[in-house]
Amino acid sequence: MADIINPENEEDLQAQIEEVEALSSIYGDEWCVIDEASRIFCIKISSDAEEQKLTACLQIILPPDYPSAAPPIYQINAAWLRGSERAKLANSLEDIYVEHAGESILYLWVERIRDFLVEKSHSLGPVIQEGKVNVTAEEDVEDDDEDVPDLRVLRETVEKTHFFLDQANDEEIPPIKHGSPITDRRSTFQPHLAPVVTPRQVKMVVEKLYENKKIASATHNIYAYRIYCEDKHSFLQDCEDDGETAAGGRLLHLLQILDVRDVMVVVSRWYGGILLGPDRFKHINNCARNILMDEGYVASTDEACKSGAKTKRSKSKKTK
């Protein structure tokens, strides 16, 4: 299992290194490396408005599976940011993560926070200016210090944070169902299904399946998933061929046609030495359809026929 999963983590680490280098180049002294080994960073962001300058400090911990399957862990330090405004900003950062799932998003987060600061400074008008007429330079510095995180405390809590994430991951692993295999000319196909509502759960299901030695030894483990985002009324979806060219896209297309949501389907194929041609795609989709029917995500053929017959009878009665 380690040989299968580690390359993914290495890709995530390489993506993190490249992103941090880019951010350091863009933001200069504003970007701070707190603990490189633990992937902890901090950036001071300002509204760039001289007359009403607002600042915030974004502190970040990058988990091992960011950006492929997890968002950064973050905290925004700003004495003036409270209540509904903090919630509004947090929601906008979450939206960015959902829209760009699997991508590096720190630059987008920093610029979104900067835009928020600009909007806030403009909305305050002359109020801050009037309130700071008699403020001394020394007091101004003290106010800025409130936005700077306690780095000592942050370092001390890193291990606890990662422990919490590991525990949360264990609790979030969805139940995995295994369907009946289909065998043709010594090639065997077997479907697996799990309910998922986040990209992190997708990764967890894949890792859990690879703990099974038989599944890990499969020639291909093709998968596709669809997650419905209520707030945006849109789908987060993706697929993986795992070496079986175009198989993942075909599987995702099936999920789209069946209009299923919050579910992922994995089809394992053990190659038997005889080429199947296009029949392999038929078996992959049949496996997926069967397990979706077995788990109640789509109506069975008999139920669909009965439903269609009832609809026709109902229309016939209305016509009469």
Side-chain angles (χ1 to χ4, degrees):
M1 177 182 172
D3 291 336
I4 297 171
I5 295 175
N6 281 345
E8 295 180 5
N9 289 342
E10 289 176 5
E11 288 178 8
D12 282 328
L13 179 58
Q14 184 59 38
Q16 290 180 22
I17 292 171
E18 292 174 0
E19 184 177 22
V20 167
E21 288 178 352
L23 293 172
S24 178
S25 174
I26 293 169
Y27 297 113
D29 293 339
E30 292 182 340
W31 178 263
C32 175
V33 178
I34 297 173
D35 189 334
E36 188 169 2
S38 298
R39 313 304 293 157
I40 307 174
F41 308 93
C42 181
I43 180 169
K44 189 172 184 180
I45 310 165
S46 66
S47 62
D48 293 330
E50 292 182 5
E51 68 279 4
Q52 304 205 28
K53 190 171 184 178
L54 292 177
T55 62
C57 185
L58 174 66
Q59 59 190 49
I60 304 156
I61 301 176
L62 300 180
D65 49 356
Y66 167 78
S68 68
I73 305 157
Y74 75 96
Q75 180 176 324
I76 300 173
N77 296 283
W80 53 268
L81 184 61
R82 304 182 187 279
S84 60
E85 287 188 330
R86 181 176 287 275
K88 179 182 176 182
L89 181 55
N91 288 338
S92 67
L93 298 184
E94 183 178 347
D95 288 343
I96 290 173
Y97 171 68
V98 171
E99 290 173 8
H100 300 271
E103 302 174 14
S104 300
I105 59 169
L106 292 184
Y107 176 78
L108 296 176
W109 272 15
V110 171
E111 291 308 305
R112 178 65 193 96
I113 294 171
R114 192 186 306 281
D115 290 343
F116 188 88
L117 299 184
V118 171
E119 293 168 9
K120 176 67 175 175
S121 62
H122 288 168
S123 68
L124 290 174
V127 175
I128 287 185
Q129 191 67 25
E130 292 173 2
K132 285 199 172 184
V133 169
N134 296 320
V135 173
T136 65
E138 184 176 347
E139 288 170 338
D140 226 347
V141 171
E142 290 175 355
D143 287 341
D144 284 345
D145 287 344
E146 292 181 7
D147 296 337
V148 179
D150 186 335
L151 305 186
R152 180 182 56 80
V153 173
L154 184 59
R155 287 193 182 97
E156 289 175 355
T157 58
V158 170
E159 292 185 4
K160 293 180 181 178
T161 303
H162 286 302
F163 176 77
F164 170 78
L165 284 176
D166 292 340
Q167 293 301 309
N169 286 348
D170 291 340
E171 294 173 1
E172 292 173 4
I173 295 178
I176 302 173
K177 302 292 184 179
H178 307 281
S180 301
I182 294 175
T183 301
D184 179 16
R185 284 164 281 180
R186 295 190 296 187
S187 277
T188 299
F189 303 79
Q190 184 180 23
H192 321 280
L193 177 149
V196 293
V197 293
T198 65
R200 178 190 291 272
Q201 286 185 326
V202 172
K203 182 177 177 67
M204 291 165 61
V205 169
V206 173
E207 291 180 354
K208 186 66 177 177
L209 286 172
Y210 274 119
E211 290 179 7
N212 183 304
K213 291 183 180 179
K214 182 180 178 182
I215 294 173
S217 70
T219 314
H220 311 287
N221 283 297
I222 305 112
Y223 71 79
Y225 67 88
R226 297 186 86 215
I227 298 170
Y228 186 65
C229 305
E230 291 282 354
D231 56 336
K232 294 186 173 299
H233 304 291
S234 61
F235 284 92
L236 181 62
Q237 54 192 17
D238 203 354
C239 59
E240 171 59 49
D241 294 335
D242 193 29
E244 186 71 285
T245 306
R250 289 168 183 256
L251 182 56
L252 177 57
H253 185 57
L254 174 68
L255 301 188
Q256 293 168 336
I257 291 173
L258 296 176
D259 194 27
V260 296
R261 59 181 63 187
D262 299 333
V263 66
M264 77 174 293
V265 176
V266 183
V267 178
S268 301
R269 181 196 179 182
W270 292 267
Y271 178 56
I274 301 174
L275 297 174
L276 302 185
D279 283 349
R280 67 192 189 278
F281 299 120
K282 178 184 69 176
H283 296 320
I284 291 168
N285 278 8
N286 283 342
C287 275
R289 187 190 298 272
N290 290 342
I291 197 168
L292 286 166
M293 286 193 300
D294 291 344
E295 297 304 318
Y297 283 87
V298 294
S300 65
T301 306
D302 291 342
E303 289 174 351
C305 289
K306 290 177 183 177
S307 176
K310 287 180 181 178
T311 302
K312 288 179 180 179
R313 285 198 296 271
S314 175
K315 289 181 178 178
S316 176
K317 287 179 182 179
K318 288 180 179 179
T319 303
K320 292 179 181 178

